Amino acid sequence: MPRSSETLAPPLGALLRRYRDAGEPLSCEPVSQGLLNRGYRLATTRGAYFLKQHLDAPTADRDTISRQHRATQRLHALGLPVAPPLADSAGRTVAVIGGRCYALHPWVEGRHRDGAQLSTAGSRRLGALLGHVHTCLEQVMESPPPGEEYESARPADTFRVIDELLRLTRARHPRDGFDELAEHRLLERRVLLAEHAHRRPPPAAAAGWVHGDFHPLNLLYRGAEPAAIVDWDRLGVQPRAEEAVRAAAIFFVRPAGELALGKVRAYARAYRRAAGADGAELAAAVHRVWWERLNDFWILRWRYQLHDRRADPQFPAASALVVWWTREYEAVRDAFTG
């Protein structure tokens, strides 16, 4: 569940005393990006660091964070661009202070780049990078449990969600442009789902370890080259190719809700080569992620049920993409598999 935007000042004195060579604090500025946890640029007498405060309840316990840290250390040893946490004087990478978990990482200079800022060659590099992430995770993580199936959304459940969100949308007074767009998209989606309910995909069985949240705000570039994949909170077992499709749907969506299919094609070819995935695996992933998007309303849930508007700017393009993707289904599938 998302947290509010309250400022939770980190206990710098108690934290830095645990790190022998971190120095004394000079400044600690919040990093604006990030929806679920808190990040700070910490400057000390010894240099710059990224201080992460873990707040997202499903992943904020010490054991889960430590597993993520071990994974990034092993991935770094394999040559992937990651920024593993620093160990304190006792060799620990998670500091628990006042019941909250913190981790100190090296500061990585770089910038975020979305698909519009990537060339075709950059799109290929992105696909190859994610493919390498998946194959390297296969080397450093334990084998996923066999036989586990991943169900897709049920239309009956989605119709109930639509009805509830419509009720909340219409109850707002005064209404604004977002409310009008939300109602329009909910009504539109109800019709689309009724038309395509028979296309619900079967459970997915093939799964592997994935980053879990691979998108532009979790990848830093230095020039044209990826410098660091960050935020491994959602590290877990999922159908691998679905992460590749989800990432492309975020990186390469245009403001009007269309995908830049030329770049998607370059990205997907590179991903397939690096991950050893075939066209059939990608085709099944495209269908399941399309269905997931058709049934998903997380942005509206945040706004109307959790009263959290931080994701609102994503809604126009994300909601338009579902409509466009449904209309251009074959073209999208061919871009990922051709």
Side-chain angles (χ1 to χ4, degrees):
M1 179 181 297
R3 300 272 182 151
S4 71
S5 57
E6 60 180 320
T7 299
L8 301 169
L12 296 180
L15 182 73
L16 290 177
R17 280 194 293 272
R18 300 181 178 215
Y19 294 85
R20 183 179 297 112
D21 300 319
E24 296 298 320
L26 298 175
S27 64
C28 186
E29 299 295 330
V31 177
S32 59
Q33 289 92 349
L35 292 176
L36 296 177
N37 296 297
R38 291 286 175 270
Y40 303 86
R41 189 185 193 280
L42 172 62
T44 77
T45 53
R46 295 291 182 88
Y49 302 92
F50 176 74
L51 173 61
K52 184 165 184 177
Q53 185 177 27
H54 291 264
L55 296 173
D56 186 30
T59 62
D61 65 280
R62 185 179 210 156
D63 290 343
T64 300
I65 300 167
S66 295
R67 183 182 68 176
Q68 298 160 9
H69 289 174
R70 288 193 297 271
T72 56
Q73 289 165 342
R74 294 166 182 166
L75 293 173
H76 184 263
L78 292 176
L80 279 177
V82 295
L86 303 175
D88 65 17
S89 56
R92 295 170 299 209
T93 59
V94 182
V96 182
I97 302 174
R100 298 194 183 276
C101 292
Y102 301 86
L104 195 63
H105 298 257
W107 180 263
V108 178
E109 290 293 346
R111 58 182 291 243
H112 304 291
R113 305 182 75 188
D114 60 29
Q117 298 166 306
L118 297 179
S119 64
T120 300
S123 302
R124 283 195 292 269
R125 282 193 291 270
L126 180 66
L129 175 62
L130 183 56
H132 288 311
V133 168
H134 289 170
T135 57
C136 288
L137 282 171
E138 191 173 14
Q139 296 177 51
V140 304
M141 302 298 291
E142 67 271 17
S143 298
E148 186 171 355
E149 292 189 333
Y150 298 80
E151 292 281 349
S152 56
R154 300 176 183 276
D157 296 335
T158 305
F159 285 128
R160 285 192 288 271
V161 171
I162 291 173
D163 288 344
E164 172 62 11
L165 289 173
L166 279 171
R167 183 187 69 78
L168 294 173
T169 304
R170 290 165 172 167
R172 281 186 50 80
H173 297 290
R175 285 160 61 86
D176 58 21
F178 188 103
D179 300 319
E180 298 292 341
L181 177 62
E183 181 176 0
H184 168 73
R185 291 303 191 193
L186 286 164
L187 293 170
E188 178 182 56
R189 194 80 63 85
R190 188 161 63 184
V191 172
L192 274 180
L193 186 58
E195 291 176 353
H196 296 277
H198 63 286
R199 299 176 66 185
R200 181 188 179 215
W209 286 94
V210 299
H211 176 275
D213 201 19
F214 195 82
H215 60 68
L217 292 182
N218 286 336
L219 181 58
L220 286 167
Y221 279 84
R222 191 174 296 120
E225 295 298 324
I229 306 164
V230 300
D231 196 354
W232 291 80
D233 290 1
R234 300 295 179 180
L235 174 70
V237 177
Q238 297 176 15
R240 292 189 317 167
E242 290 182 27
E243 172 157 83
V245 176
R246 286 190 197 98
I250 301 171
F251 270 95
F252 300 112
V253 65
R254 292 168 170 159
E258 303 174 357
L259 291 179
L261 292 182
K263 293 181 178 180
V264 169
R265 187 171 291 107
Y267 159 94
R269 285 176 180 168
Y271 172 79
R272 294 200 310 271
R273 285 194 298 269
D278 60 21
E281 184 179 353
L282 266 293
V286 168
H287 186 67
R288 285 179 56 84
V289 176
W290 162 76
W291 179 261
E292 177 184 277
R293 290 297 189 99
L294 188 63
N295 285 267
D296 183 52
F297 299 95
W298 74 271
I299 299 173
L300 297 186
R301 283 177 175 268
W302 275 32
R303 177 183 172 94
Y304 294 111
Q305 295 178 331
L306 302 174
H307 310 293
D308 189 326
R309 299 190 176 193
R310 286 175 294 160
D312 284 6
Q314 301 179 40
F315 182 69
S319 59
L321 175 60
V322 178
V323 181
W324 179 86
W325 192 339
T326 302
R327 186 175 67 246
E328 302 294 337
Y329 180 89
E330 288 78 12
V332 176
R333 181 197 58 206
D334 292 347
F336 279 98
T337 62

